[in-house]
Amino acid sequence: MIASLKFSRTLSLMLEFSDASYRFFPAEPSRILIALGRAMNRHFVLPGAGHLVKEIRLEGETEAVRDAQARGERLLFVMNHPTHSDPQVITELHRNLGLPSCFMAAYDVFLRSRFTAWSMQKLGNFSIDRESGDRKAMTAAINTLTTGEFALNIFPEGNVYLTNDRVTPFLDGTAFIALKAQQALEDKCVRIVPVSLKFTHLTTPREAVTERLLKLGADSDYQFPPGSTADPLGSMLGLGQHILGRYLRAHGFLRETTSPGNTLYATLDEFARSLTSELEESLQLAPQTESGVVDRIRRIRSKIHQMRTDGSGNAHPEIDGLAGKAILAFRVNGYLTPYLTEYPTIDRYDETVERVAEDFYSHAMPRTGPRRAIARFHTPLNVRDYLEGAGSLRAAVAPLTREMESAVQSGIDAINAENDAPGAALVHEAR
């Protein structure tokens, strides 16, 4: 079913890859421009049309964060990456706390224009090539933590997946950075602050989302079944599978979009599993076909990280392509999981249609309505405890990564249990 794969780093999918040659963009912070940027973010960027964040709520262990800051401990904030508004929300939260911080950001962002690159650097941010062993970025991140002038913000999922209620498995690199920084510090602790981000609609923009769905159908030559407008979920799933199947066929990943007797859904499921098996074979990992695709890709990404940080100095040119395939397997699997159908809220319906639109148009989509952003800070994790408990840096990476991921997911679940915003309403109940 899978064609011979010569994987291109540039997917039409909205995965924020770039064909441009990578070069590292170091941070060049300007205190004046940071203050100006934070003010503009608060008054113009967040409430503007690109984000429509009208409310921000901060919950959780804020005093523990303030105490750690007062003690001079090094702070690393890790959070889920559900939307394109996450950095702006975190920036505003840190402005409120009086906490200077910076981001390790995908280099694609720096390549958008010379002004973007200049402003990102002056705001204290630096670039990373997420699909290679970017030693300059890792060194910059470790130095940021050891010097302590800025707190560091990292999104361990690595990409915006537009599944706000479900955390995509964290990459191991963030834990590695924290542990390396802790090894370099004798008298100070590195504290990791897991942050759960949740965006919810303050209105019920079902009509605007349905209009986007219908336009997608027209632009992608998809014929909605008769009467399907009464079934928004079925319409969305059918359209999403159509667009993804068409993409895979056009790029040589599927010999055909359907097999005899198979629906497109079944064919995509077979594709995701086959691609995962191929990755396991390439990395010489024992196949675990009894496990779910997400757990198998978690092992794959962990293995890729180990190869990139093995310290041997050996080059692994094949890793970039394998990492790209792993992301593609995640993306395809996202269309097959019951994320929307298991609990079809307005929020999930909107973001799922947005995800399909991004995959089709290859750019971020306009907002459909005003939103509330909720951030829950968790108890800061003492990195030294994990380092000493595991006995070595390498042994500590996996448990620390899982602890960060678990904390963020539990916070999202807790926020959802209390969410009374219109976006939490079920699609079929919304008016």
Side-chain angles (χ1 to χ4, degrees):
M1 186 186 78
I2 302 177
S4 60
L5 297 175
K6 182 178 180 182
F7 192 84
S8 168
R9 290 194 50 167
T10 303
L11 298 175
S12 294
L13 297 165
M14 187 63 179
L15 297 178
E16 300 181 22
F17 291 164
S18 173
D19 273 334
S21 298
Y22 176 68
R23 72 179 180 89
F24 178 64
F25 290 88
E28 299 174 353
S30 163
R31 294 282 182 180
I32 294 176
L33 291 178
I34 288 172
L36 177 61
R38 286 186 163 193
M40 292 183 64
N41 179 65
R42 177 190 184 190
H43 295 291
F44 302 106
V45 178
L46 275 169
H51 301 282
L52 289 182
V53 175
K54 303 299 185 181
E55 298 179 13
I56 298 181
R57 293 183 180 178
L58 176 58
E59 306 173 348
E61 301 294 333
T62 55
E63 288 307 312
V65 172
R66 292 182 188 275
D67 291 343
Q69 181 186 7
R71 292 191 298 267
E73 295 176 333
R74 309 310 196 238
L75 295 176
L76 169 58
F77 291 82
V78 298
M79 41 268 164
N80 55 316
H81 204 357
T83 78
H84 300 291
S85 303
D86 307 331
Q88 290 77 12
V89 169
I90 294 297
T91 295
E92 173 59 11
L93 292 175
H94 287 172
R95 186 199 66 79
N96 278 325
L97 292 172
L99 178 64
S101 70
C102 64
F103 290 85
M104 185 168 73
Y107 81 93
D108 310 66
V109 178
F110 293 78
L111 296 179
R112 290 173 185 171
S113 70
R114 289 184 179 179
F115 175 76
T116 298
W118 178 84
S119 60
M120 287 287 288
Q121 292 175 280
K122 293 303 179 184
L123 293 175
N125 308 310
F126 58 93
S127 68
I128 182 171
D129 182 359
R130 294 169 300 189
E131 303 311 315
S132 71
D134 190 345
R135 297 187 180 277
K136 288 185 177 180
M138 298 288 263
T139 299
I142 294 166
N143 288 342
T144 298
L145 290 175
T146 54
T147 58
E149 185 177 0
F150 292 89
L152 179 60
N153 300 302
I154 298 180
F155 297 100
E157 289 173 305
N159 286 281
V160 178
Y161 286 97
L162 295 172
T163 51
N164 198 161
D165 292 348
R166 179 175 296 156
V167 174
T168 298
F170 282 7
L171 296 168
D172 290 346
T174 303
F176 178 82
I177 288 168
L179 290 160
K180 287 288 286 185
Q182 185 62 76
Q183 283 186 327
L185 291 167
E186 295 182 359
D187 59 342
K188 294 293 181 182
C189 287
V190 175
R191 298 274 183 176
I192 296 178
V193 184
V195 182
S196 301
L197 289 176
K198 168 68 181 181
F199 291 78
T200 187
H201 280 82
L202 296 171
T203 61
T204 53
R206 176 171 169 174
E207 182 176 344
V209 178
T210 301
E211 288 179 3
R212 175 173 291 172
L213 191 70
L214 293 174
K215 185 178 187 305
L216 269 169
D219 291 345
S220 65
D221 299 321
Y222 178 70
Q223 298 295 322
F224 289 101
S228 62
T229 54
D231 179 17
L233 304 187
S235 298
M236 200 294 306
L237 292 173
L239 174 64
Q241 292 165 26
H242 163 77
I243 289 175
L244 188 57
R246 190 175 80 163
Y247 168 83
L248 293 172
R249 182 179 59 179
H251 288 77
F253 290 104
L254 297 179
R255 291 198 178 99
E256 52 187 19
T257 54
T258 57
S259 303
N262 278 1
T263 63
L264 178 59
Y265 182 98
T267 303
L268 293 177
D269 181 59
E270 183 184 349
F271 169 77
R273 294 179 184 278
S274 297
L275 183 54
T276 302
S277 295
E278 179 187 323
L279 288 164
E280 289 170 336
E281 181 179 356
S282 298
L283 293 166
Q284 299 181 341
L285 289 171
Q288 293 188 340
T289 54
E290 72 283 357
S291 301
V293 170
V294 171
D295 287 337
R296 293 169 67 187
I297 299 177
R298 188 196 305 271
R299 291 175 64 242
I300 288 166
R301 297 179 91 176
S302 179
K303 177 66 173 180
I304 289 172
H305 172 74
Q306 291 174 21
M307 293 177 68
R308 285 174 169 163
T309 58
D310 63 7
S312 66
N314 296 327
H316 299 288
E318 75 282 7
I319 289 299
D320 289 1
L322 296 177
K325 290 179 187 178
I327 292 178
L328 179 61
F330 260 136
R331 198 71 168 186
V332 173
N333 187 70
Y335 282 96
L336 305 177
T337 56
Y339 176 75
L340 175 60
T341 55
E342 70 182 358
Y343 198 61
T345 62
I346 287 289
D347 289 334
R348 291 195 186 193
Y349 177 48
D350 174 77
E351 69 180 340
T352 304
V353 175
E354 180 182 3
R355 178 155 55 103
V356 175
E358 285 199 356
D359 285 348
F360 182 75
Y361 297 114
S362 295
H363 61 75
M365 303 306 296
R367 303 266 45 87
T368 56
R371 299 176 298 165
R372 171 190 299 152
I374 305 168
R376 178 166 294 191
F377 284 8
H378 297 271
T379 301
L381 306 176
N382 187 334
V383 176
R384 178 172 284 135
D385 289 345
Y386 287 85
L387 187 60
E388 294 175 352
S392 70
L393 185 152
R394 188 169 296 278
V397 167
L400 182 54
T401 301
R402 300 291 84 78
E403 183 64 26
M404 291 187 290
E405 181 186 319
S406 176
V408 172
Q409 182 65 67
S410 67
I412 295 169
D413 294 341
I415 292 170
N416 281 330
E418 303 166 358
N419 188 9
D420 59 356
L426 299 177
V427 172
H428 65 273
E429 295 177 353
R431 295 292 182 267

